[in-house]
Amino acid sequence: MSSEMGLRERKRRQTFAAVSEAAIGLFLERGFDKVSVAEVAAAAGISKPTLFRYFPTKEDLVLHRFADHEDEAARVVAAGRAAGVAPLPALRARFREGLERRDPVTGLCDDPRVRAYHALLYGTPSLVARLHGYQGRSEEALAAELGEGVGARVAAGQIIAVQRILAEENWNRIARGESARALYEEAVAAADRAFGQLARGLGREYGEAV
C-alpha cells in the first residue's frame, strides 16, 4: 500500500512540475497577464478544473517554486543546526551556503532561465503581492520555532526581512548585468554584516551560541 501511495505521490509531483513549467513558459513568452488559465491547461494537456486542483490561483503557477522554501528557516532552527548553535548563526550559515551554491532564492544566480523567471516575478505586481503571503507564512513558521510571544514574532519578522532584502539586492545587481561570480564576495560580506546587525539587536536569546 505504501509503495502504491509513493507512486501516486511521484505522479502528482511530476504533473505539478509539468503544469508549472508549461505555465511559466507561456508567461515568459507572452506576459503573465496575457495568458489565461484555460490556455495553460490546454498547453499542459489537462482540464481547467484539474489545473485548479493543483494550483488554486493563477499566481501559484509561478510561485510554487517558493513553496519548498516557505518553512526553510523554521526547519533550520528546528532540526538543521548542531547542538549548541543558536538560531541566528545557523540561519546565517544556511544563507551563506545558498550563496555558494548560487541558490536562486538568495538572488545570487545568473543562470539565464533564473534571470528570466525573476524578471517575470518582480515585473508582475500581482505576483509580487502574492509573494508577500509566502513570506508572511515563513515568518509564522519561524516564530513558532523561536518561541512564544511577541519577542519571537519580532525576531522572525526581522530575520525573514533581512533574508528578503539581501536576496533582492543580489537580484537587482544581477539584473543590471553583474555576474554571480564577480558579486559573490560582496554578497557574502553583505550577509555577514546584516546578520551581525541582527545578532546585536536580538541579543543572546537568538544571536549567540548557547
Side-chain angles (χ1 to χ4, degrees):
M1 186 67 173
S2 59
S3 61
E4 200 175 302
M5 290 177 65
L7 179 60
R8 284 202 300 269
E9 178 60 19
R10 284 196 298 273
K11 287 184 176 179
R12 189 193 72 81
R13 289 176 179 268
Q14 289 170 357
T15 301
F16 195 87
V19 173
S20 177
E21 288 301 317
I24 291 173
L26 288 172
F27 297 152
L28 289 174
E29 180 183 348
R30 293 164 48 196
F32 181 81
D33 294 325
K34 294 182 179 179
V35 178
S36 70
V37 173
E39 289 175 301
V40 173
I46 60 175
S47 69
K48 189 174 175 180
T50 298
L51 183 147
F52 279 124
R53 286 202 295 270
Y54 287 94
F55 300 94
T57 72
K58 183 180 176 182
E59 288 77 13
D60 289 329
L61 286 160
V62 178
L63 291 171
H64 89 92
R65 292 186 177 182
F66 285 86
D68 289 343
H69 296 284
E70 191 172 295
D71 63 346
E72 182 175 356
R75 293 198 307 268
V76 170
V77 172
R81 56 188 172 125
V85 176
L88 202 54
L91 290 166
R92 179 177 60 184
R94 176 61 64 90
F95 194 86
R96 288 189 58 162
E97 289 168 8
L99 292 173
E100 188 173 356
R101 297 195 308 271
R102 307 297 192 264
D103 188 332
V105 79
T106 68
L108 191 70
C109 183
D110 54 10
D111 181 287
R113 294 166 298 180
V114 174
R115 291 187 61 180
Y117 173 80
H118 279 165
L120 169 68
L121 172 62
Y122 292 111
T124 308
S126 62
L127 292 174
V128 173
R130 185 79 174 180
L131 181 59
H132 288 307
Y134 280 74
Q135 292 168 342
R137 290 190 290 275
S138 294
E139 289 181 21
E140 292 174 6
L142 178 57
E145 294 298 336
L146 291 177
E148 298 180 354
V150 70
R153 292 177 59 192
V154 169
Q158 291 183 48
I159 292 166
I160 297 301
V162 161
Q163 291 180 330
R164 173 182 58 79
I165 291 167
L166 290 169
E168 287 179 355
E169 176 63 17
N170 292 336
W171 156 243
N172 287 333
R173 294 183 64 173
I174 293 291
R176 291 195 296 267
E178 297 187 54
S179 73
R181 182 177 180 179
L183 183 55
Y184 173 72
E185 289 188 6
E186 285 186 59
V188 170
D192 286 344
R193 286 195 302 271
F195 276 94
Q197 287 178 308
L198 275 176
R200 290 190 292 274
L202 295 176
R204 294 185 59 83
E205 185 173 3
Y206 306 115
E208 299 179 5
V210 294

